[in-house]
Amino acid sequence: MSSKRNRWAPGFSFLLLCSCCMSSARNANALLELSPQEYFSSLQPGKASLVYFSHDGVRPFLEQIESSVEPLQDYGISVVKVNCPKEDVSRYCGKQNTLLKAYLFRGNILLREFPTDALFNVNAIVANVLFALLFNEVKYIASAVDHQNLENSLKGRLNVVFAYVPAIGTAEHRAVMEAAFVYGTAHQFILTTEVSLLKSVSTEDADGLSAQLFFCHCKRVMDPTQPCRRTPMEQPLSTLNIHKYLKLMEAPIVTEVAADPEKVSTVHLQLGLPLVFILSQKETYEADHRTAEFVAWQLLGRAGVALLARDSLGLNVLLQSNVALKTAEEGVPIKYLVLEDTDEIIALVENKLKGEQFQEYEEEEEEEEEKENSDKDVQDDQVVEAIHRDRKRELPLDLIRTLTEEMFHRALTETGHTAVLFYASWEAVSLATLQSYVEVAMELKGTSGVSLARVNCWDWPGVCAKQNVTQFPVVKIYEKGERPLTYSGMLGTEDLLRFIMLSRVSCPLKLASVAAVEGYLRGELLAELSPYHTTSVLGLFTPSMKEAREAFIEAGAILKGYVTTGLYYGDDALVLSSKYNVPLPALLFARHEERSIDPVLLSRLTPQEIAQTIRYQLLETFPEITVENLPTYWSLGRPLLILFSDSDLGPRDRNEMLRLGRGSNREAFLACWLNLQRTPVGRGILKAYFSTPPPLPLLAWVNLHAGGEVFAFPPDQPITQSNVLSWLEKCRAGLQLPSTTLSDAPWTPPLPAYNFLRMMESTLPEFTLHTVYGRGDPTGPRQAEAVEEKAPAREEQAEEPRAEAKKGQPPGRDLRGTVPRLVGRERHVKRHAEL
Amino acid sequence: MAVPLAKGTRGLLLTFVLCMSLACTSCASALVHHDYCIVGAGPSGLQMAYFLQQASRDYVVFERSHAPGSFFALYPRHRKLISINKRYTGKSNSEFNLRHDWNSLLSHDSRLLFRHYSRDFFPHADTMVRYLEDFASRLELQVQYNTAITHVTLDRDPQAWNGHYFILTDQNSQTYRCRAINNGLLDTYQLKSLDGLLEGDLEDLAIVKDKKGKLHITLRFYLENSNSSAGAETVTLPQDELDNFATRAPYDRVIRCLGWKFDFSIYNRSLRLVPGRGNKRKYPQIKPSYESRGTRGLFVLGTASHSNDFRKSAGGFIHGFRYTTRAVHRLLENHHHGVPWPSPIYPITHLTNSIIKRVNEASGLYQMFSVLADIILLKENATAFEYLEEYPVGILAQLELHTGRKAPSGLFAVIMEYGRNFSGADKDVFYYNRAVGEAQHAWQSNFLHPVIYYYKRLPTEREMRLRPPDWPLPRPDAIHHIVEDFLTDWTAPNAHILPLRRFLENCLGTDLRNFFAESCFLFALTRQKLPPSCQQGYLRMQGLVGSEGLRRHAVEASLMENYTVVDTPNELLGGQKEIHDQLLKDHIIPGRPLQHLINTKDEL
């Protein structure tokens, strides 16, 4: 909390200015009407007043004058209408043409006469009046020579704010004058309306159509022959923009930081601009400082630059990192980068700013509550939205039985195997699964012994509760006389179909003879299942190995639906043992595609361990990664050595990769490949890894579980085991620059929620009263109850002026309107952060 | 709008007090001991007996009469219940249907639903008697009939659950020692006039009988002024002067419906069972946990417990107290038997769904609005949550003590509420434009609608005490209203579920969206962290693949990208050497090298 307050401290004068507006705004903002005697006797020395004289005739600029009462009051200038008595022929009332003029007095000294047409609107009035009052602070200059002379005289002493406005009395002119009112003593202001003068200052082609402002860094110029550096202001000239800009210009060019960068705050961050850290160390301090300064000048006005002592960094920052970027958004961690030249830094900041401008744009739109809400109302859940868009389509559900509470148990006995989808008809994931389920039903059409059914848990909560379905969707397979089997795989057509088909076979399948075993291993025995599995597992035991056999049977039950297992424990077990050259008990893995049979000695004998062994053995050495199988391999927790290809792999690449995947490397990383034709989303991955699409095939090292660096294997080297291994060594040793580092940003709420608490506070204050205190201090009662009843009202006062300002002021681009809104925004953000 | 008007005064004629104490043992002659004694076999007595029986507890119900629900054998005198029996709701959801069944007690036996007993929307009182008999006999509840408890006193004993036993004496001086008591007695009968309701002070009225035996209503004032010896005909009647006087028609019968009061007389002073204050005088004083304020182990249930929500919710009626009784049973299970409040654990990805499911079907939340709340306890790191159903919201501060569950990382309370200005004296509940339709104005909803309170930690007892009047809970850290709905169907994806998800996301600081497997795949390989639905679904091999058509919809909504279409494959992915070389060249033309910075890392 206190740190947040500090953040706003530099903006203090700003707030002060605005709060003085507020206070005066509350006083009379009506035009004072006085008689000549009253007026002249009321004049106080040093106090400025704008006055005009009237013989009760209607004056053309009366309305404009009236609306300028309030803004002028903010600068301590009163506006007075003097009603001249008819017979009065004194100096001001008497002359006819005085009635076409307004007069600016300081005390009783006349500073300036304004013709009516100079005061055409509020901007013109404020601009002209301040211009007259700030005669010394703002020099009007018309020629380049005068400008040069003035600037020369200021070198080493004062910085210069040079403003060009196309005309006097415009909104921009007013903005410059309002800024000069605050900063006039800190900098010398120069104003011109001469395009030629602008052209002599500006490096770019200036057409003179729009106002421009430059900050000329003359104070740091010690050698009078050197020119003052100029920084153009890029935003349109408004009081707030000029204020922000001058704050930035006043900030040190390079801030030196030796603390935790997460805690650092500079004026840039406070104004919503990014802060670039140049990571430095003692040995290279001088050079780093020069770099920082160079970058800082480039980015002046757009971002801050700080020199960060490397020692103050945590250990989790890469050694190669040389630059860090901190954005003003709260909660976004600092990004550490490895950049090669300063242009990259500038490009980085520019991209960042572009993004932000876009955001600011959005924020502006959010001003209106309606629009703000409409954003939140847009569905951003892809599954829910897809289902919603599909809601009018009728699914062909006739292949799937709809079960009710009464018929549930009866229906299950009607076919050997019944798959039941438990779902909720209002829930998107359920409905998406139902669509895949319909596809499964169409595939299975005509298959005897299997039927598909569904239970809508929204209609029949009792059935779902009894079947232990507490979340949906859930698919269960009911088989006569067996415990129901709950599906725990991917919710997609292929996987569901495979599960339903494989779960129909006993697991394990008991084989009676060597011939049956051989047929099973060749895939002939369960030929109808060949589309659904690639490997058959056999448990081989001697008749006496009862314990191991039973454990294997239990393991088979665990794997039912996912793996086909067979069991042989007949008298010829030893014959098979010697044939496959493995001592018993053993597992045989018959891989049908590769036509190989791999024996594995069964050393661990609990059912879970056996199931684990089988699962592990089923993993491929060099798998093709797909959407469906990634989780299996991801769970190994290894880095990926992944070959991206847009077609099937050539035999050479495949062999080299297979070699890489085998042996001692198997524990160190997972060698795999991705076929962009079969898995097009792989293109999205490449896009994330490389800013431009790389040539294919491409080998990448993805350090998924530790650090998230991605390295690309040099495309000019052939993919061979030795090349790759030595390259991996370099990657591991930090000798290669990663192409990218995967973001470790957490998944935060995509959009804010309705803040009902805040809405309720305004109309139901009793809800807040006790509670400001009630929840404030968890350590216990602090004060007597009576005090407590009253205290909150006082507490709330602290915020009142802001709130009032927010309501009381019409929105606009000027200082008074915007500041409270900014403050309000800040409070808003805080609230969400507290959630 | 199918919202029950239960808020004010109408409801079922059900009177019932249930107090629970532990241990009924007879001290003198043959001391009979029970862990739980229930006084009265009315609806709440039987309801509690059912729960105790299901939990295999040692209990007995004492009933003065020879059958359960004897109140209904006599009352209401007009024999029509005013509790609705809506047999066809258009839905098959048994839990939801209880929202429109105000007579059934809770049980696992679907035959014991009132709709099987009566076809009437307002059933006959005899049906209720028959129903309660069936309930007691079918479920084989332990009811001891013809036993009128005439005296209840305390016997201090450190061995007992609360430091004392309850000694109950019946009309035959048989004594019972109980460790806890449920007391079921008649107490109130609230008038539901089928003709109309006249407000007035009975003290000002008088009834005179004419020669034909008809009864006329007049004002006491006239009676006092007339000659008392004269016949009824001479008494001035209001209609003599005011010919549209409301009760000008003579009546055949006048029924005294002045209500019942709790019978405090059987309780020994030591039990300190005292009446409430103000308009709650007829009820004993109890805590929000339904335990007597004076004596631990003595619970008041049923109609007699209505002081907790008098004229606010449905706690005085069967359709309300069947749920509060269940809640008290769960509290007892935790206190006396170490059985914590049932609380299944779910992954955080099911949070939105769990809430939507409950607010759409739960009957206890709906009937006992503002009194019972579902409590969601967040587990550490908010990756999972525990779901506690229908907890009495008044004792939220002592949740850990009462449920045996822990709330280390914040909690949500899901509750149903009417709008703050909805009904009450001088309020027109049908005023024009009374319904709120847009989610963003949900907090101004008038009809019963779900409200979710979020607390970063359990509110303290002090905060509960200091909460504003009429608020069920103290100020939360955030609050969400689901906008009232004409059909009380809160499953609309955009108006109901989306704003709820945003609220939950912002409380938890996470992203609760669902993703198709393909998106999760992309995240898994391009980001170091995954959203919960990918983490808890996809990565556990339970990703949602989705059909081709659905993924296309998602692409059209710009929520997914279609990578199968490559505009000019050669340009983007072709792998042409020259393009690649060009890229390399582009890469090599740096402006100002940061050589020294790169060297830095080499030295390190």
Side-chain angles (χ1 to χ4, degrees), chain A residues 115 315 414 622 768:
Chain A
L315 291 172
E414 284 169 13
F622 176 54
T768 57

Side-chain angles (χ1 to χ4, degrees), chain A residues 10 23 26 59-60 101 133 139 189 204 234 279 301 386 395 402 484 555 701 719 727 775-776 824 835:
Chain A
S23 60
R26 256 184 243 122
R59 302 285 301 266
K101 284 182 178 162
L133 286 174
K139 294 270 188 236
F189 278 67
E204 288 162 33
E234 284 164 359
L279 274 52
L395 285 180
T402 309
W701 168 259
I719 298 175
W727 167 70
R775 293 195 66 78
L835 291 182

Side-chain angles (χ1 to χ4, degrees), chain B residues 39-68:
Chain B
V39 184
S44 70
L46 296 179
Q47 183 70 81
M48 184 48 111
Y50 168 75
F51 290 123
L52 290 170
Q53 173 125 329
Q54 286 295 105
S56 309
R57 300 296 168 213
D58 169 25
Y59 77 95
V60 68
V61 184
F62 299 115
E63 170 56 43
R64 177 165 43 187
S65 175
H66 63 282

Side-chain angles (χ1 to χ4, degrees), chain A residues 458-470:
Chain A
W458 168 224
D459 288 334
W460 308 106
V463 181
C464 298
K466 272 184 209 140
Q467 298 304 313
N468 205 15
V469 173
T470 52

Side-chain angles (χ1 to χ4, degrees), chain A residues 200-420:
Chain A
S200 75
V201 171
S202 175
T203 49
E204 288 162 33
D205 281 345
D207 54 13
L209 291 178
S210 53
Q212 285 192 33
L213 191 132
F214 297 84
F215 192 86
C216 312
H217 307 262
C218 294
K219 195 174 176 178
R220 58 193 304 134
V221 180
M222 294 308 160
D223 179 354
T225 58
Q226 289 291 314
C228 302
R229 230 183 228 273
R230 297 195 176 105
T231 313
M233 173 171 153
E234 284 164 359
Q235 289 78 18
L237 264 64
S238 73
T239 311
L240 183 64
N241 283 345
I242 297 176
H243 162 78
K244 280 187 184 175
Y245 174 76
L246 292 179
K247 279 275 160 236
L248 292 173
M249 293 303 120
E250 286 169 350
I253 287 285
V254 173
T255 317
E256 302 216 12
V257 175
D260 179 358
E262 292 285 358
K263 290 178 188 144
V264 168
S265 179
T266 67
V267 66
H268 306 92
L269 291 170
Q270 289 147 19
L271 291 174
L273 295 176
L275 181 63
V276 174
F277 291 98
I278 304 286
L279 274 52
S280 152
Q281 59 176 3
K282 279 183 217 130
E283 293 82 343
T284 57
Y285 176 82
E286 289 296 316
D288 296 340
H289 198 278
R290 275 197 304 277
T291 310
E293 266 200 7
F294 175 79
V295 173
W297 279 110
Q298 305 278 309
L299 290 175
L300 193 59
R302 294 182 286 171
V305 175
L307 198 59
L308 177 63
R310 203 175 261 277
D311 325 327
S312 57
L313 284 175
L315 291 172
N316 52 355
V317 175
L318 269 182
L319 288 182
Q320 302 98 301
S321 301
N322 48 17
V323 172
L325 184 67
K326 180 173 183 173
T327 61
E329 287 163 80
E330 248 175 271
V332 177
I334 292 181
K335 233 177 158 174
Y336 291 91
L337 303 149
V338 185
L339 298 182
E340 298 198 20
D341 62 61
T342 51
D343 286 356
E344 282 188 62
I345 301 180
I346 290 159
L348 182 79
V349 170
E350 270 167 1
N351 288 339
K352 180 79 209 149
L353 285 176
K354 258 182 225 154
E356 266 183 14
Q357 257 165 16
F358 181 65
Q359 265 186 357
E360 211 166 281
Y361 221 71
E362 280 181 334
E363 267 178 38
E364 300 263 296
E365 281 189 11
E366 274 178 12
E367 300 290 351
E368 288 170 64
E369 190 99 336
E370 288 296 315
K371 280 193 183 160
E372 180 182 299
N373 286 335
S374 72
D375 231 18
K376 290 178 206 162
D377 293 344
V378 175
Q379 184 60 261
D380 50 1
D381 183 311
Q382 51 184 233
V383 181
V384 176
E385 181 62 17
I387 287 293
H388 189 66
R389 284 173 182 240
D390 205 48
R391 66 192 180 282
K392 298 222 170 128
R393 190 162 71 91
E394 221 165 289
L395 285 180
L397 288 168
D398 42 321
L399 291 172
I400 300 171
R401 281 190 80 179
T402 309
L403 303 187
T404 67
E405 189 150 20
E406 292 87 45
M407 62 187 286
F408 182 76
H409 289 285
R410 199 179 58 232
L412 296 185
T413 59
E414 284 169 13
T415 35
H417 285 77
T418 310
V420 182

Side-chain angles (χ1 to χ4, degrees), chain A residues 538-707:
Chain A
L538 180 78
L540 203 53
F541 305 89
T542 64
S544 61
M545 296 172 170
K546 192 163 170 254
E547 205 181 315
R549 188 176 78 221
E550 274 167 7
F552 178 75
I553 291 173
E554 261 186 71
I558 295 173
L559 297 170
K560 187 169 181 179
Y562 305 98
V563 182
T564 43
T565 53
L567 170 65
Y568 182 78
Y569 59 101
D571 297 332
D572 295 330
L574 287 171
V575 177
L576 291 164
S577 156
S578 61
K579 176 175 177 188
Y580 293 105
N581 194 21
V582 61
L584 299 186
L587 299 174
L588 296 182
F589 291 84
R591 305 181 203 275
H592 303 306
E593 271 176 17
E594 292 144 45
R595 297 175 182 278
S596 70
I597 295 176
D598 305 325
V600 172
L601 176 67
L602 197 53
S603 52
R604 301 182 166 207
L605 290 174
T606 69
Q608 286 73 23
E609 283 167 342
I610 295 173
Q612 194 54 42
T613 305
I614 293 173
R615 282 201 196 101
Y616 187 76
Q617 289 297 330
L618 288 175
L619 296 179
E620 292 174 50
T621 327
F622 176 54
E624 180 195 336
I625 287 292
T626 62
V627 170
E628 283 81 6
N629 75 10
L630 175 72
T632 312
Y633 292 100
W634 200 89
S635 65
L636 299 173
R638 296 178 196 155
L640 300 187
L641 181 63
I642 181 165
L643 183 63
F644 289 88
S645 168
D646 53 357
S647 58
D648 274 328
L649 291 185
R652 212 176 60 87
D653 284 349
R654 175 180 287 276
N655 283 335
E656 288 298 324
M657 290 300 290
L658 264 171
R659 283 173 62 198
L660 276 163
R662 280 209 195 102
S664 59
N665 295 326
R666 194 167 176 187
E667 297 302 323
F669 59 83
L670 176 77
C672 56
W673 68 290
L674 193 144
N675 186 335
L676 292 172
Q677 266 174 348
R678 270 192 293 269
T679 312
V681 63
R683 298 199 175 97
I685 296 170
L686 288 177
K687 232 188 230 179
Y689 289 174
F690 310 103
S691 46
T692 44
L696 293 176
L698 174 120
L699 186 63
W701 168 259
V702 186
N703 206 350
L704 259 194
H705 302 271

Side-chain angles (χ1 to χ4, degrees), chain A residues 291 340-341 376 378 380-382 427 458 489 491 627 683 689 693 707 742-743 747 761 774 788 834, chain B residues 92-93 353 456 462-463 475 501-502 514 516 519 525 528-529 538 541 543 545 563 572 592 594 596:
Chain A
T291 310
E340 298 198 20
D341 62 61
K376 290 178 206 162
V378 175
D380 50 1
D381 183 311
Q382 51 184 233
E427 198 259 335
W458 168 224
L491 299 170
V627 170
R683 298 199 175 97
Y689 289 174
L742 303 185
S743 155
W747 288 79
E761 272 166 4
E788 208 167 85
E834 277 164 15
Chain B
S92 61
N93 187 317
N353 282 349
K456 288 183 195 157
R462 188 161 165 280
E463 283 161 0
R475 177 193 168 95
R501 169 167 66 80
R502 296 218 189 285
N514 298 298
F516 285 112
S519 301
L525 289 173
Q528 293 197 52
K529 294 194 173 121
Y538 177 73
M541 289 157 229
V545 178
Y563 293 103
L572 286 177
R592 179 173 288 253
L594 286 183
H596 55 280

Side-chain angles (χ1 to χ4, degrees), chain B residues 53-85:
Chain B
Q53 173 125 329
Q54 286 295 105
S56 309
R57 300 296 168 213
D58 169 25
Y59 77 95
V60 68
V61 184
F62 299 115
E63 170 56 43
R64 177 165 43 187
S65 175
H66 63 282
S70 59
F71 172 86
F72 292 97
L74 191 59
Y75 300 107
R77 298 308 298 267
H78 53 64
R79 309 309 289 145
K80 212 157 189 59
L81 301 182
I82 57 167
S83 43
I84 61 169
N85 176 40

